Amino acid sequence: MKRHFVLIALLLFPLLTLAQQDASISGYISDAETGETLISANFAIANSSKGTSSNTSGYYTLTDIEPGTYTVVATYIGYQRYEKQIELTPGENLRLDIKLKPEGYQLDEVVVTSKKEQDEKRDIGLAQVETEFIKKVPTAFQADVFRSLQLLPGVKAASDFSSGLYIRGGSPDQTLILLDRTTVYNPSHFFGFFSTFNPDAVKDVRLYKGGYPAKYGGRLGSVLTIFNKDGNRNEFKGTVSLGLLASRAMVEGPFKNGSYMFAVRRSTLEPVLAVLRKNVDNIPNSFYFLDINGKVNYDLNANNKLSLAFYSGIDDLSFPFANDANISLNYGNQTLSTNWTHIFSDKLFSNFTLTGSRYFNYPSFNVASTPFERSNNIYDFSLKGDFEYLPNNSHEVSTGFWTGVMTLKLQDTFDEQDTFSSRIHTQYGSWYLQDKWNLSEQWSMTPGIRLNAFSEGNYLRVEPRFSLEYKPTDRIRLQAAYGRYNQFLTLISNEAFSGFDVWLTTDNGVPPSYGDQYVLGAKTIPWKGYGLDFEIYYRSMEDLFELDPFLPDQAGLPYQDIFRFGKGYAYGAELFFERRVGQLTGFMGYTFSLTRRKYPNFNEPLAANGQPRFYPPKYDRIHDLNVVLEYKIDKRWSATASFNYSTGQAYTKPLGRTAAFDFPTSGNPLNQLIVGRVNASRLPDYHRLDLSFSRTGTFFDLGEAEWQLQLINAYSRRNVWFYNYDLEKNPAQRKEVTLLPILPTITYSIDF
């Protein structure tokens, strides 16, 4: 036995000696001016294939480096290239924190790039939008995160009045939205006109449109991660923006071993409403919305960092929409997250996050002195742990857990009588493991698995994930991905106004929804400074659950009996082309897509096989085209144009009506509509052109300033929102209800 041990030791000794001689480099990559960490910045050894990128904390690690003298390079879009010569000794773990100097930004630095040095941002299904793009692209009234995302292929908007994200055939509740690793349940303001995220406070916006990795779960479709700024670590800075609908302000600065950032945004519509009330009927008695963001960071030492981030948002409205009729809305979100980043070694990195999220919604109606009130609350508290282990340059192993407790409360009251009440308290947990395995310089694969547990109903679900990539040349990437996904929540949403949204969850007799996703992609660089990406996808959706709209009364029914269950599918193709050189820059995105749903005893007559027919949801758009261009006129002036064309929304067309007369009681006609198949008709095609002109300057030598003049819907295309039918006339008359007319806006921003 002893001789066997000695023999094994002798055989392994050369390998152990060789491993001990290898060196490694690790550290943080940050902005030299602000100290803000940079996500997905690139680090490499010059003239070699060895390279990596920084994670969501700005930390990178490169291992298995033979001792010697090297030139290392760090790059990031919008920053000057960093080069430094280093010498590594056997077994050395070099800590190299890098500060990159910014260059002047342009619009062509804002969308997912096609340069080789940005490969990490071009994983399958992944898109990224920079904050300067959000501020530059023309949008009605306010720069908005979600409106900018809606310009990307595969992402659709329900209307001009909706900031909801309809991604690859999924409804908004099928997208997991994380702000500083904390779930946000209703990310909208002003009836869904735009999102709750203040662009001044945002550092990183990353959208996984499909086939997303095992690190994330809980939604059938996609994941949106948003990180707020850490705050300037070198000097006090601030910005103020004044707009027609809302104004915002942000300050940031350093303190000993740390930094802070605080931002606020509030509607400024009250003076306009006061003037309108004197001359126009049915103007809100009161209306405002408010956002507050904050983040505080503290470095205990080089290997331990703490941060505290919070968000609070609210919408409050009182609106007399008719005589003796009033509606009041009060809804919002509150989030809090505490994060501890710990570096165990040059090969093991970790994040631990304690989160709290609250969603509240208190709508009320009063019609003819009869009140209806609703109380809907979500309380979600969780603990998350994420670990990244890099044993060598061939493997990047990630694992982690997410466990928490959630309480959902819903109570409806009509004329002071309870009509529906539900309270669900559940525990949930998940664990994931994945490995990005670089098989060679051309081939890499990422297998993964995720386990989800939900206590209400005792559900346990296993989700395999897998992606594969092949690089035949430096300019071509061929990709494929598969994943199984489960969802334990559903959103009962009003497509007109987000203030009525209600979240419900699985329980006994209400199984979670599930589905599979298949994605194929090709990312290319046809010429220097250009990018061309193409992806196709198919996804299934099973056990979709929503409130049964045909129930006359939900009061007294068991929880599982208030739902109906269905299925669906979606498939499509996306094309993305961009130009990043010269005075004229921008991109074009085109999407062909189709999505369908079906539910029992719905959309009759039944199909030939006796089964319910599939039908398109309202947000199904077969063709969708977006073109965004920026032209740099000179050092101060720039012009931006954004054009959108899409197939009209689906709707159910009335085919006729019957009238019965109520004799002898009143003699009034009782109209009954005869309608066609569900959403079998289409509104006219949608198209719109937005223009923006920006001029930069100074504000009394106290800071930089910018005027932004926008023309929304420049040629005043009156796109149809929906049709309204007047049944009092015979024959009934159809009236078009249109979306935004031509709309000029102005914004003035000051950076100090």
Side-chain angles (χ1 to χ4, degrees):
M1 183 70 180
K2 183 176 179 180
R3 284 190 299 175
H4 285 127
F5 177 80
V6 173
L7 180 60
I8 293 173
L10 290 174
L11 291 172
L12 292 179
F13 180 76
L15 297 176
L16 295 173
T17 304
L18 180 62
Q20 291 172 357
Q21 290 178 346
D22 287 342
S24 65
I25 312 172
S26 61
Y28 286 94
I29 302 178
S30 60
D31 185 310
E33 291 187 357
T34 66
E36 195 81 37
T37 56
L38 300 177
I39 299 174
S40 290
N42 294 275
F43 178 85
I45 295 177
N47 302 317
S48 78
S49 60
K50 288 185 177 293
T52 186
S53 62
S54 58
N55 60 19
T56 55
S57 298
Y59 184 79
Y60 74 94
T61 295
L62 191 62
T63 62
D64 293 347
I65 307 172
E66 294 183 2
T69 301
Y70 300 98
T71 297
V72 295
V73 178
T75 59
Y76 193 74
I77 290 295
Y79 288 79
Q80 298 178 19
R81 180 183 177 93
Y82 171 93
E83 290 190 12
K84 183 178 181 180
Q85 190 176 71
I86 62 170
E87 183 175 351
L88 297 175
T89 59
E92 180 179 4
N93 298 322
L94 177 64
R95 179 65 178 266
L96 181 62
D97 292 331
I98 298 172
K99 297 182 179 181
L100 299 182
K101 296 180 179 180
E103 294 178 339
Y105 64 79
Q106 298 176 347
L107 183 64
D108 60 337
E109 297 168 352
V110 297
V111 182
V112 56
T113 179
S114 294
K115 293 185 178 180
K116 182 175 182 291
E117 66 189 27
Q118 290 293 308
D119 277 353
E120 291 296 327
K121 293 184 181 180
R122 302 180 64 237
D123 290 339
I124 191 164
L126 176 62
Q128 185 173 1
V129 172
E130 303 288 346
T131 56
E132 294 304 332
F133 173 72
I134 297 169
K135 296 176 184 179
K136 283 282 187 180
V137 72
T139 55
F141 298 115
Q142 278 275 306
D144 185 69
V145 173
F146 282 15
R147 294 290 181 184
S148 301
L149 290 170
Q150 288 170 353
L151 296 172
L152 299 175
V155 186
K156 303 178 188 296
S159 71
D160 291 349
F161 303 129
S162 171
S163 65
L165 299 178
Y166 296 83
I167 302 173
R168 292 187 173 178
S171 52
D173 64 335
Q174 292 183 9
T175 298
L176 174 65
I177 299 175
L178 298 172
L179 175 63
D180 287 318
R181 303 182 177 92
T182 308
T183 305
V184 179
Y185 286 96
N186 188 356
S188 66
H189 277 315
F190 197 23
F191 316 119
F193 201 92
F194 50 80
S195 66
T196 58
F197 303 109
N198 186 341
D200 291 332
V202 170
K203 174 174 72 171
D204 184 80
V205 179
R206 198 161 299 201
L207 176 63
Y208 299 85
K209 292 186 289 184
Y212 59 87
K215 182 177 181 179
Y216 303 105
R219 295 296 189 273
L220 284 185
S222 49
V223 176
L224 175 65
T225 64
I226 299 175
F227 287 90
N228 277 332
K229 293 179 178 178
D230 296 330
N232 195 309
R233 288 177 172 265
N234 297 326
E235 59 181 332
F236 175 81
K237 289 283 187 178
T239 181
V240 176
S241 295
L242 305 176
L244 293 178
L245 178 64
S247 298
R248 59 187 194 267
M250 186 270 292
V251 294
E252 57 182 336
F255 61 86
K256 186 177 180 180
N257 297 330
S259 62
Y260 64 86
M261 183 279 297
F262 298 102
V264 62
R265 179 175 61 172
R266 193 189 191 281
S267 59
T268 50
L269 205 59
E270 285 91 335
V272 177
L273 295 178
V275 173
L276 291 176
R277 282 192 209 103
K278 298 177 181 180
N279 304 299
V280 182
D281 295 331
N282 297 331
I283 298 299
N285 292 328
S286 64
F287 170 70
Y288 78 92
F289 62 84
L290 175 68
D291 285 324
I292 301 175
N293 295 76
K295 198 169 187 179
V296 179
N297 300 273
Y298 182 73
D299 297 346
L300 295 174
N301 51 49
N303 293 330
N304 292 277
K305 299 178 181 289
L306 300 176
S307 69
L308 176 69
F310 65 88
Y311 165 77
S312 178
I314 188 173
D315 279 65
D316 190 271
L317 168 73
S318 177
F319 177 54
F321 61 91
N323 293 330
D324 197 22
N326 183 76
I327 179 175
S328 296
L329 296 176
N330 183 274
Y331 66 92
N333 296 274
Q334 296 167 346
T335 68
L336 179 68
S337 64
T338 301
N339 185 75
W340 171 34
T341 298
H342 176 63
I343 302 173
F344 286 96
S345 70
D346 61 308
K347 295 185 178 182
L348 182 58
F349 179 89
S350 67
N351 266 307
F352 299 93
T353 309
L354 186 65
T355 76
S357 181
R358 180 197 176 209
Y359 165 65
F360 61 91
N361 182 14
Y362 306 120
S364 65
F365 305 85
N366 196 307
V367 180
S369 301
T370 302
F372 167 80
E373 297 178 344
R374 166 171 286 171
S375 175
N376 184 213
N377 288 274
I378 297 178
Y379 301 93
D380 186 358
F381 301 94
S382 71
L383 175 65
K384 302 172 68 175
D386 296 293
F387 302 86
E388 298 177 18
Y389 176 58
L390 287 84
N392 51 55
N393 288 328
S394 297
H395 293 273
E396 297 178 23
V397 181
S398 301
T399 187
F401 64 89
W402 188 356
T403 182
V405 294
M406 179 189 300
T407 302
L408 294 91
K409 298 179 181 179
L410 175 62
Q411 183 166 347
D412 289 343
T413 303
F414 180 76
D415 199 15
E416 300 183 355
Q417 298 293 321
D418 291 344
T419 58
F420 182 78
S421 181
S422 172
R423 182 185 184 276
I424 294 180
H425 182 77
T426 183
Q427 293 83 43
Y428 62 89
S430 62
W431 170 83
Y432 73 90
L433 174 66
Q434 73 177 32
D435 178 21
K436 184 175 181 180
W437 184 6
N438 298 311
L439 301 169
S440 66
E441 292 187 11
Q442 287 77 36
W443 288 93
S444 65
M445 58 185 293
T446 307
I449 190 169
R450 185 179 182 91
L451 274 69
N452 296 290
F454 205 79
S455 67
E456 288 300 301
N458 295 318
Y459 295 110
L460 179 65
R461 295 291 186 267
V462 179
E463 300 177 349
R465 312 281 175 84
F466 181 81
S467 66
L468 181 68
E469 179 174 278
Y470 172 59
K471 299 179 184 178
T473 72
D474 288 342
R475 294 194 173 192
I476 299 176
R477 300 176 70 189
L478 305 178
Q479 302 167 325
Y482 162 78
R484 164 64 64 93
Y485 304 92
N486 289 270
Q487 182 162 326
F488 299 86
L489 300 172
T490 187
L491 179 65
I492 311 304
S493 180
N494 186 298
E495 293 185 356
F497 304 112
S498 66
F500 306 138
D501 290 353
V502 173
W503 284 93
L504 297 172
T505 184
T506 61
D507 201 347
N508 290 314
V510 186
S513 305
Y514 69 94
D516 296 306
Q517 292 191 26
Y518 305 85
V519 189
L520 295 174
K523 311 293 176 69
T524 68
I525 304 175
W527 310 282
K528 184 177 180 180
Y530 290 79
L532 179 62
D533 298 348
F534 178 73
E535 287 191 3
I536 59 175
Y537 65 88
Y538 174 84
R539 51 178 300 212
S540 63
M541 291 165 272
E542 304 288 341
D543 288 343
L544 297 172
F545 61 99
E546 62 178 36
L547 291 179
D548 190 339
F550 299 107
L551 286 179
D553 187 8
Q554 300 172 357
L557 291 177
Y559 184 75
Q560 63 268 24
D561 291 345
I562 68 174
F563 293 97
R564 67 175 183 176
F565 300 87
K567 63 189 302 183
Y569 64 88
Y571 61 82
E574 300 168 6
L575 182 69
F576 182 78
F577 177 73
E578 62 177 339
R579 184 178 191 267
R580 308 179 57 83
V581 292
Q583 285 184 280
L584 180 65
T585 56
F587 67 86
M588 181 276 290
Y590 168 74
T591 305
F592 168 82
S593 63
L594 184 144
T595 180
R596 294 292 183 265
R597 304 285 188 277
K598 73 174 180 180
Y599 290 90
N601 303 317
F602 188 65
N603 195 28
E604 296 181 348
L606 300 178
N609 59 4
Q611 295 296 316
R613 293 179 182 271
F614 281 99
Y615 67 91
K618 283 191 63 176
Y619 52 85
D620 176 61
R621 304 279 185 96
I622 299 174
H623 302 284
D624 190 82
L625 173 70
N626 287 289
V627 180
V628 178
L629 299 172
E630 186 195 31
Y631 183 72
K632 300 293 292 184
I633 301 172
D634 55 32
K635 291 183 178 180
R636 290 194 173 187
W637 282 95
S638 64
T640 306
S642 174
F643 175 77
N644 172 249
Y645 167 84
S646 62
T647 304
Q649 284 194 26
Y651 79 102
T652 304
K653 184 178 181 179
L655 302 179
R657 66 172 175 170
T658 61
F661 292 88
D662 185 15
F663 291 115
T665 55
S666 67
N668 294 325
L670 303 176
N671 291 298
Q672 178 67 46
L673 281 178
I674 302 173
V675 298
R677 292 178 182 172
V678 176
N679 291 343
S681 300
R682 292 278 175 177
L683 296 176
D685 289 352
Y686 175 101
H687 51 88
R688 194 180 94 187
L689 173 67
D690 299 337
L691 300 174
S692 175
F693 299 91
S694 300
R695 184 187 186 276
T696 59
T698 59
F699 180 74
F700 298 107
D701 295 327
L702 299 177
E704 297 179 353
E706 181 182 52
W707 286 98
Q708 189 175 31
L709 309 175
Q710 297 186 350
L711 196 62
I712 306 302
N713 197 5
Y715 53 84
S716 198
R717 161 74 174 182
R718 301 312 304 271
N719 292 295
V720 177
W721 190 9
F722 58 86
Y723 291 129
N724 189 32
Y725 291 85
D726 186 355
L727 300 179
E728 298 296 325
K729 298 181 179 180
N730 194 9
Q733 292 188 358
R734 187 182 76 178
K735 180 181 179 182
E736 295 180 350
V737 179
T738 57
L739 294 166
L740 290 176
I742 186 171
L743 185 66
T745 70
I746 184 171
T747 302
Y748 185 60
S749 302
I750 304 170
D751 294 331
F752 56 88

